[in-house]
Amino acid sequence: YSLSQNYPNPFNPSTSINFSIPKAGFVTLKIYDVTGKEVATLVNEELNTGAYNLQFNGSKLSSGVYFYSINAGSFTETKQMLLVK
């Protein structure tokens, strides 16, 4: 399992998030604000083995620090990103 740092970072208004999973399973990838409030769900479904590239558009969010977190099987990882408007 791997979750890459988003690119570009800082971003305005969109960024790319890459991740890969070594075996099929249920995957969630969510975006949270600095208070821990969920602001977006990018993935919430069964995925096959492979590498994935998602685009996140933060045009409706305010500038600041956000976190994106993946949960796949027993794997969980969270990374930080910065939205600058």
Side-chain angles (χ1 to χ4, degrees), residues 32-71:
Y32 301 91
D33 67 14
V34 74
T35 67
K37 179 183 169 209
E38 184 183 315
V39 296
T41 299
L42 302 183
V43 178
N44 190 31
E45 62 184 301
E46 196 80 23
L47 292 180
N48 291 321
T49 302
Y52 295 85
N53 178 301
L54 302 173
Q55 295 299 312
F56 172 65
N57 187 322
S59 60
K60 294 183 177 156
L61 301 174
S62 58
S63 294
V65 174
Y66 291 87
F67 299 92
Y68 57 104
S69 183
I70 190 170
N71 190 322

Side-chain angles (χ1 to χ4, degrees), residues 6 22 25 27 29-32 34 46 53 59 67 74 81:
N6 66 300
V27 177
L29 197 148
K30 298 183 179 188
I31 312 284
Y32 301 91
V34 74
E46 196 80 23
N53 178 301
S59 60
F67 299 92
S74 60
M81 60 184 175

